[in-house]
Structures are given as structure tokens and as C-alpha cells.
Amino acid sequence: MSQSSLSQSLLNAILVLAESAMTMVLRFDPSLRKTVYPLAKQETLVIVRTYLPHTQVYATFTTKGVLLDSKPFDPTREPDVVINTYTHQFAQAIISNDVRQIDKITMRGDAETVAQVRAFLTRLGVASLFQGILQTVKGKTKKDDGKDSDTTKAEPNYRMQVAEQQKQLNALTIRNRELEISLKEAKSKQKTIVIALIVASLVAVLAVILGVLDVI
């Protein structure tokens, strides 16, 4: 296998991993889905051309996610946005989540579509992803706590004449509720770990692109 074929195979493998990771992140980040929606609605096609080394990636925004490929799905279709940048500059912009770095990237296309793509890249940054994860987990925790509080307030006050058997039943009910809350907390922590692993995989993919392609 030639060096060119090896590089192409490596790029395709990286794109598959990046596409899968991005799909998982979209499932857990409602803010990112909201940012992607206008691009997916128009099935926006974006071409990312990087230099040093030279690579070309086609990104198609669809309702099923962001499809990545090194070749166009439809060779006759003109791209909606063309991105020209250096490989290290593009990777740094994504990882750092710095709006100023993203604004330095050259993009050609309709002004509104370009703005939507920049917003997507900003939200896709690792820092924003972690913030979205924390907000999602905290939001669900507060919502659950609110529901539990309302339920508690709705319960009638027990009278002094309640039989011992009724008191035992009440104690079991409270214990069951505590176990449910513990289970919710465990599920939230597990989801946080899963999303963190997905974000870490994105960072690893970008690191591989920089490391391997620089060698080539």
C-alpha cells in the first residue's frame, strides 16, 4: 500500500470515529442540537480544506447527524460553505472553544449560513461541551428535587392516632423513595462519565490528526 493510500485510509478511519462521537454528543447536548437544527433543515454541505498537511473533508448536516467523508456524496453539488485553514489552526479552534480563534478561520458562503457554522463550531468546542454536560446534569437534579419536594408537600400529615402498622408502612415508603433518589443520582453520574469519555475521544481524534498527518 502506498503512502497516499495509507494516509487516505487513516483519514477515513478518523472520520468514522469523529462522526460516531459527534452523533453521541448530539444526543446528550440539547443546545448543540438546537445549533445544528437550521443547518440540518437545509442539509447544509460544508467543505473543510486544511493545509500543512493538505486534507479535504466533506461535512453534510442532516436530521440524523453530521455525516463526514473524504469524498463528496454528490460530486455535482456545490458546497454551501467552504472552510480554508491550517490543520493546527482548525484543531486549536475546536479544542480551545475560543471564539476569536474560530473567527480567524476563513469561511466562504452565505453570510447567515457561515454564521450558523461558526456558532456550531463554537458550541462543539470541548469547553462548551463540558459546560453543557454540567448544566444538563444540574438541571435534571434540580428538577428531580423539585418533584420530590412537591410530592412531599402533597402528602397528608399523619395524625397521632395512626396505628403502628401504618407507621411502619410509612417508613418503608420513605426508604423506597430514598433508594429511588440514589438510583437517579447514580444514573446521572454514569451519564456524565459516558459523555466525558465521548468528549475525550474527540480530543484524541484531533490529536491523532495533528500527530499522524504532521508525520506524513
Side-chain angles (χ1 to χ4, degrees):
M1 182 180 293
S2 65
Q3 184 176 3
S4 177
S5 299
L6 180 61
S7 300
Q8 188 64 38
S9 299
L10 178 60
L11 177 60
N12 289 335
I14 291 173
L15 292 179
V16 169
L17 292 174
E19 181 180 307
S20 300
M22 198 177 302
T23 300
M24 292 295 293
V25 171
L26 282 169
R27 290 181 57 187
F28 289 106
D29 192 337
S31 298
L32 184 60
R33 288 199 303 271
K34 185 177 180 180
T35 304
V36 170
Y37 177 75
L39 296 171
K41 186 177 181 180
Q42 302 174 7
E43 294 190 350
T44 304
L45 174 62
V46 178
I47 295 181
V48 181
R49 293 171 179 163
T50 61
Y51 306 99
L52 296 178
H54 173 72
T55 58
Q56 187 161 284
V57 175
Y58 294 81
T60 305
F61 291 81
T62 71
T63 54
K64 296 181 180 180
V66 183
L67 306 181
L68 304 176
D69 205 328
S70 58
K71 298 179 181 180
F73 295 102
D74 182 3
T76 62
R77 180 183 174 184
E78 292 294 326
D80 299 295
V81 176
V82 178
I83 298 177
N84 294 296
T85 181
Y86 290 99
T87 301
H88 71 277
Q89 182 182 19
F90 186 72
Q92 182 179 1
I94 296 298
I95 295 176
S96 66
N97 183 227
D98 189 343
V99 176
R100 292 172 298 179
Q101 293 292 336
I102 294 175
D103 287 340
K104 291 180 182 179
I105 298 176
T106 303
M107 299 188 188
R108 293 188 290 106
D110 177 74
E112 182 177 356
T113 306
V114 168
Q116 292 170 348
V117 172
R118 290 189 189 278
F120 166 73
L121 293 177
T122 300
R123 183 63 202 175
L124 186 64
V126 175
S128 287
L129 287 176
F130 274 116
Q131 290 175 3
I133 293 170
L134 293 176
Q135 290 175 359
T136 300
V137 173
K138 288 181 179 178
K140 289 185 177 181
T141 301
K142 290 180 180 179
K143 186 176 180 181
D144 292 338
D145 290 343
K147 289 182 178 179
D148 292 336
S149 178
D150 293 339
T151 301
T152 303
K153 291 179 181 178
E155 292 179 354
N157 294 325
Y158 290 99
R159 298 179 180 180
M160 298 299 296
Q161 295 82 10
V162 175
E164 185 65 24
Q165 184 177 4
Q166 185 64 34
K167 291 181 179 180
Q168 293 177 357
L169 179 60
N170 182 55
L172 290 174
T173 301
I174 294 175
R175 178 56 180 168
N176 183 57
R177 189 168 294 130
E178 290 176 350
L179 292 175
E180 289 179 353
I181 294 175
S182 298
L183 181 59
K184 288 179 182 179
E185 292 177 350
K187 288 183 177 179
S188 296
K189 291 180 180 179
Q190 183 180 13
K191 182 177 291 185
T192 301
I193 293 174
V194 171
I195 300 176
L197 289 175
I198 292 172
V199 174
S201 67
L202 283 174
V203 176
V205 167
L206 291 173
V208 170
I209 293 176
L210 289 175
V212 176
L213 294 182
D214 284 342
V215 173
I216 296 175

